[in-house]
Amino acid sequence: MFLIHSELPWWQSAVIYQIYPWSFQDSNGDGIGDLPGITSRLDYLKGTPDSLGIDAIWLSPIYPSPMHDFGYDVMDYCDIDPRFGTLADFDRLTSEAHRRGIRIVMDLVLNHTSDQHPWFLESRSSRTSAKRDWYYWADGKSAHRPPNNWAARFGGSAWTQDRQTGQYYLHSFLREQPDLNWTNPAVRDALFGVVRFWLERGVDGFRLDAINWLGKDTNWPNNPRRLAWRSYYRQVHRYDRDQPQAHEALRALRAFVKDRPETVFVGEASSDTPGGPAAFYGTGSDELHEVFDFRLLRSPWQPDAFRRLILESDRAVPLGGWPPVVFSNHDQSRHIDRYGKGGDPVRRARAAALLLFTLRGTPFVYYGEELGLRDGTLGRSDLRDPYTIRYWPWKKGRDPARTPMPWDAELQAGFTTGKPWLPLSRDWRETNVAHEQWDAGSMLSLYKRLIRLKKESNALTAGTYQPVDAGPKECVLYQRIFQAGSRTEAMLIAVNFSSQVQTVSIPTTVPMHGRVGTVTLSTDAKRETERWNAERFQMGPDEGIVVRLE
Ligand code: GLC
């Protein structure tokens, strides 16, 4: 059968690999990853028969930054932080990546800048500064009371009073991250100029940070209160996010790049927005191409929850839009630890990998997850991220998921010749690329096989998602079906969420595109090429299988 890939926009058949630049590969011994380091590791990602086989890298921010939020506080949108290298290093990375068929997706923070950005320095300098209205300034309610009750995502009030002029500025995250005023056309033009700058340098798309925060109700009404443990959730975020303004901005952005239709915009929108994250697809062709939906990522490893959330998020995507599939990123504990709680983490992570590459959508792999890398065990003095520090030890925070990539069992796991900026994860001597590369039973080998299988299958790449309603409830079953003319390719996927053997039987009343087939991939490799029958089949503990239906 012909392969559909060449007919789809590239991002619909792509596997995207997220690199946290601080932690991928250091090239100069300062203990911090950098761009020449990433370039030196590209063969691992693509270009040789043994490569992982991904299609694009998403780089978490590499712009100059005081690093209060590790790059999500940008000081200059059109340069590279000296810790990571130079624009020349970036150009080399881009051309070396493109030579191997790897696209580049930049992280772009549109909602806020660093408080050290020249725009903000000018804005705060006086009430009459030319850039005053590039950010949100307001008078307090009284001498020491902020304009309203809005809470910042990282704790405390979303307003900070500035000594220079006595007014308050708005920051939805850290006080070092003032929010840009998107009602001001000059702000929009400046940021669209940034998009143009990177497109002209050759990037292929953008991951848009915290995109549902772009608009605010500038009458500054209080948010309604509600009961919750953590301060941020003690209010309904009715007026400080998810305003029509954000949708207008995205429509304008999409129109701005219409001369480059290959450009992809993947947005991060938090889940409890009206209409859910899917609202940010717009009609399906006028806002974002892909919108992260973190409900699955936040779910416990529980079959009913997965069944429901997979279906809901799949069906929420309008025609023209495309779902990303993501279980881990730089803001969350790694999914091997989250899903692994109360069970066998490695076996569950293997089953999760099978879901990642067989659900409908673009899989996003967070560096190290393909090795089964665990969260780092960090002490108070190791922590770097202000948000992690603020809630430590009550919340695990974000630093544990940001530890260096383990390449081998040599000094500092081959990540640096110096002292790594965060300690290595405890299991780096066994969990590293060199150790797993030639072991057919490793997590890395499973990821490679799954990626290959997805690429070779129209059903897994472009097929529809159809749940299969059959017991027992511990197993999640679905079909991926691709039809072209009179030809059909159908795959059955089954994942056992329990640690017991399960016997499954699919009643003849359940619509199936074939009741016999062959197991093409199992997380327990020994079953492969086994014949399969819908009447009755067994699933091993935590096992996941892909069956080619006949
Ligand atoms: C996004 C990023 C996170 C960052 C925040 C503020 O959620 O993923 O790392 O701290 O936005 O920019």
Side-chain angles (χ1 to χ4, degrees), residues 69 72-73 107 109 112 154 173 177 207 209-210 213 268 330-331 398 402:
D69 192 13
Y72 287 91
D73 46 336
D107 212 313
V109 190
H112 45 265
F154 291 159
F173 293 86
Q177 294 170 296
R207 176 264 186 193
D209 186 69
W213 262 276
E268 180 208 33
H330 63 292
D331 290 330
R398 309 190 293 184
R402 296 176 176 179

Side-chain angles (χ1 to χ4, degrees), residues 88-142:
D89 293 326
F90 179 81
D91 292 341
R92 205 164 311 121
L93 168 60
T94 307
S95 67
E96 282 298 309
H98 283 165
R99 200 163 65 74
R100 290 169 175 79
I102 304 175
R103 313 227 187 198
I104 303 280
V105 175
M106 288 291 269
D107 212 313
L108 190 58
V109 190
L110 297 176
N111 178 65
H112 45 265
T113 67
S114 157
D115 63 352
Q116 299 306 307
H117 195 295
W119 299 340
F120 187 70
L121 295 179
E122 189 178 339
S123 182
R124 88 185 322 176
S125 66
S126 84
R127 289 188 185 221
T128 55
S129 111
K131 290 210 166 51
R132 188 65 169 176
D133 60 352
W134 279 46
Y135 295 83
Y136 297 111
W137 292 95
D139 292 322
K141 270 202 179 131
S142 56

Side-chain angles (χ1 to χ4, degrees), residues 18-184:
Q18 182 189 355
I19 290 184
Y20 198 66
W22 278 79
S23 286
F24 198 60
Q25 178 64 56
D26 177 21
S27 73
N28 60 4
D30 64 359
I32 297 170
D34 48 43
L35 300 184
I38 298 172
T39 307
S40 73
R41 293 293 191 182
L42 288 175
D43 279 346
Y44 167 70
L45 299 174
K46 198 180 192 129
T48 80
D50 302 317
S51 305
L52 189 55
I54 56 92
D55 306 285
I57 49 184
W58 148 27
L59 292 166
S60 281
I62 50 177
Y63 313 101
S65 164
M67 300 291 177
H68 288 288
D69 192 13
F70 287 82
Y72 287 91
D73 46 336
V74 179
M75 234 163 76
D76 180 351
Y77 286 97
C78 296
D79 206 347
I80 305 292
D81 191 278
R83 294 173 186 86
F84 301 134
T86 62
L87 279 171
D89 293 326
F90 179 81
D91 292 341
R92 205 164 311 121
L93 168 60
T94 307
S95 67
E96 282 298 309
H98 283 165
R99 200 163 65 74
R100 290 169 175 79
I102 304 175
R103 313 227 187 198
I104 303 280
V105 175
M106 288 291 269
D107 212 313
L108 190 58
V109 190
L110 297 176
N111 178 65
H112 45 265
T113 67
S114 157
D115 63 352
Q116 299 306 307
H117 195 295
W119 299 340
F120 187 70
L121 295 179
E122 189 178 339
S123 182
R124 88 185 322 176
S125 66
S126 84
R127 289 188 185 221
T128 55
S129 111
K131 290 210 166 51
R132 188 65 169 176
D133 60 352
W134 279 46
Y135 295 83
Y136 297 111
W137 292 95
D139 292 322
K141 270 202 179 131
S142 56
H144 293 291
R145 285 181 61 211
N148 64 25
N149 71 349
W150 293 2
R153 179 70 189 81
F154 291 159
S157 168
W159 295 96
T160 290
Q161 191 170 26
D162 192 42
R163 254 189 254 134
Q164 219 139 315
T165 59
Q167 280 195 308
Y168 287 78
Y169 67 87
L170 181 71
H171 51 86
S172 298
F173 293 86
L174 297 172
R175 67 171 60 203
E176 292 87 357
Q177 294 170 296
D179 282 26
L180 284 160
N181 175 3
W182 273 81
T183 63
N184 183 345

Side-chain angles (χ1 to χ4, degrees), residues 350 354 446 449-450 453 494 519-529 539-540 543-547:
R350 292 175 71 85
L354 194 116
L446 177 66
R449 284 196 300 139
L450 281 164
L453 179 64
V519 177
T520 52
L521 193 146
S522 157
T523 53
D524 288 338
K526 52 186 181 300
R527 287 195 62 176
E528 285 164 20
T529 72
M539 295 290 298
E543 190 188 16
I545 58 172
V546 183
V547 176

